[in-house]
Amino acid sequence: SRMVRCKQVLPLAEYARRVVPLLVKEHIVRCAHSIHAHWYRVLMGNGSITSEQALSMEVAKFKQYLHENHVWTDREEFFKLVLRGLDDAILHVRKSWNKSKEHEQYLKVMEAISSFTDMLHTQVKSFGLSRYPEVNPPQNA
């Protein structure tokens, strides 16, 4: 008889390296595209708020989700994974846009994505990366 071969279970850190950037990208792109639609806010249970308020709430909920539901074995590594997912989301939106699509919608989506970058900016201290010096552009003399 043939033996059944079991799939090897990935270590948690390796699984996170594969899943976190994809999760971040998909959530951010989905949210950025739909946050300005009134039906989306109604489905969220917040039909009476503006898209800016809904986006602020989504960013806060996503930040809380990342803090509560992921094992942070290495804070810097996790920060890099989230940053990679954010970068992938920006690249996805930029690649999918062309001149025939509505420019105003593209700007709204990119603005929504930038709200998620603000989430990362505020987390730099909590990730323990504040020890890295800020990069200042050279001054022309």
Side-chain angles (χ1 to χ4, degrees):
S1 79
R2 284 187 344 182
M3 291 184 60
V4 176
R5 200 167 184 161
C6 295
K7 251 182 146 175
Q8 182 180 4
V9 177
L10 293 174
L12 187 58
E14 179 60 30
Y15 186 73
R17 276 187 214 103
R18 294 180 184 191
V19 171
V20 169
L22 184 62
L23 172 106
V24 170
K25 173 192 159 196
E26 288 180 357
H27 178 76
I28 289 174
V29 169
R30 189 179 316 113
C31 180
H33 277 289
S34 56
I35 200 72
H36 294 286
H38 181 69
W39 64 264
Y40 182 77
R41 294 192 303 273
V42 170
L43 286 177
M44 286 176 44
N46 301 315
S48 62
I49 63 174
T50 67
S51 56
E52 289 79 19
Q53 292 168 324
L55 181 60
S56 178
M57 289 172 57
E58 277 296 314
V59 170
K61 284 194 294 187
F62 191 59
K63 181 178 176 181
Q64 181 180 358
Y65 167 79
L66 290 175
H67 277 286
E68 293 176 355
N69 295 302
H70 291 279
V71 178
W72 293 42
T73 53
D74 182 350
R75 287 179 172 272
E76 291 181 27
E77 180 68 22
F78 192 78
F79 178 79
K80 291 175 189 175
L81 294 173
V82 173
L83 191 60
R84 184 166 26 135
L86 184 60
D87 188 45
D88 290 347
I90 292 169
L91 289 174
H92 176 81
V93 170
R94 290 181 75 190
K95 283 181 183 178
S96 66
W97 183 79
N98 59 40
K99 291 180 181 180
S100 67
K101 293 185 179 176
E102 190 176 336
H103 188 69
E104 186 176 321
Q105 177 63 20
Y106 170 75
L107 291 177
K108 285 181 179 180
V109 169
M110 290 305 284
E111 185 178 318
I113 289 177
S114 74
S115 295
F116 285 94
T117 62
D118 293 344
M119 172 191 76
L120 279 181
H121 180 69
T122 60
Q123 288 183 340
V124 169
K125 291 177 186 164
S126 68
F127 281 126
L129 299 177
S130 59
R131 69 176 184 266
Y132 295 111
E134 286 188 30
V135 178
N136 296 319
Q139 300 292 325
N140 293 337

